[in-house]
Tab-separated table of all heavy atoms in Angstrom:
chain	number	residue	atom	x	y	z
X	48	LYS	N	43.755	-74.088	20.943
X	48	LYS	CA	44.531	-72.965	20.851
X	48	LYS	C	44.366	-72.004	22.151
X	48	LYS	O	43.420	-72.064	22.801
X	48	LYS	CB	44.359	-72.225	19.582
X	48	LYS	CG	44.783	-73.004	18.384
X	48	LYS	CD	44.574	-72.257	17.099
X	48	LYS	CE	44.986	-73.059	15.810
X	48	LYS	NZ	44.690	-72.329	14.626
X	50	LYS	N	44.171	-68.466	22.294
X	50	LYS	CA	43.139	-67.443	22.328
X	50	LYS	C	42.008	-67.789	21.237
X	50	LYS	O	42.251	-67.548	20.081
X	50	LYS	CB	43.781	-65.996	21.858
X	50	LYS	CG	44.631	-65.568	22.915
X	50	LYS	CD	45.077	-64.154	22.657
X	50	LYS	CE	45.923	-63.642	23.866
X	50	LYS	NZ	45.966	-62.290	24.030
X	58	SER	N	30.282	-73.747	18.423
X	58	SER	CA	30.174	-74.508	17.229
X	58	SER	C	30.418	-75.901	17.603
X	58	SER	O	29.757	-76.824	17.161
X	58	SER	CB	30.979	-73.990	16.300
X	58	SER	OG	30.752	-72.687	15.860
X	79	LEU	N	33.032	-73.086	27.150
X	79	LEU	CA	32.470	-71.835	26.619
X	79	LEU	C	31.990	-70.933	27.801
X	79	LEU	O	32.356	-69.678	27.734
X	79	LEU	CB	31.224	-72.249	25.790
X	79	LEU	CG	30.408	-71.004	25.309
X	79	LEU	CD1	31.218	-70.049	24.390
X	79	LEU	CD2	29.211	-71.455	24.434
X	128	PRO	N	1.179	-114.382	55.730
X	128	PRO	CA	0.484	-113.135	55.515
X	128	PRO	C	1.552	-112.082	55.237
X	128	PRO	O	2.699	-112.184	55.485
X	128	PRO	CB	-0.233	-112.873	56.908
X	128	PRO	CG	0.551	-113.667	57.828
X	128	PRO	CD	1.131	-114.794	57.154
X	129	SER	N	0.947	-110.942	54.621
X	129	SER	CA	1.868	-109.739	54.347
X	129	SER	C	2.083	-108.991	55.667
X	129	SER	O	1.436	-109.208	56.691
X	129	SER	CB	1.234	-108.900	53.261
X	129	SER	OG	-0.002	-108.351	53.748
X	131	ALA	N	5.271	-108.775	57.122
X	131	ALA	CA	6.450	-109.352	57.748
X	131	ALA	C	7.600	-108.332	57.559
X	131	ALA	O	7.755	-107.736	56.494
X	131	ALA	CB	6.851	-110.633	57.254
X	135	VAL	N	17.859	-107.223	55.313
X	135	VAL	CA	18.891	-107.762	54.369
X	135	VAL	C	20.227	-107.419	54.977
X	135	VAL	O	20.453	-106.310	55.269
X	135	VAL	CB	18.683	-107.053	52.960
X	135	VAL	CG1	19.851	-107.469	52.052
X	135	VAL	CG2	17.250	-107.466	52.390
X	139	LEU	N	16.954	-103.501	58.526
X	139	LEU	CA	15.546	-103.521	58.022
X	139	LEU	C	15.198	-102.590	56.918
X	139	LEU	O	15.733	-101.496	56.580
X	139	LEU	CB	14.726	-102.839	59.323
X	139	LEU	CG	13.192	-102.782	59.140
X	139	LEU	CD1	12.598	-104.133	59.073
X	139	LEU	CD2	12.554	-101.890	60.254
X	153	GLY	N	26.032	-109.970	44.133
X	153	GLY	CA	26.623	-110.675	45.239
X	153	GLY	C	25.455	-111.501	46.009
X	153	GLY	O	24.425	-111.590	45.564
Side-chain angles (χ1 to χ4, degrees):
K48 294 181 178 177
K50 294 192 177 203
S58 300
L79 172 60
S129 61
V135 176
L139 178 64

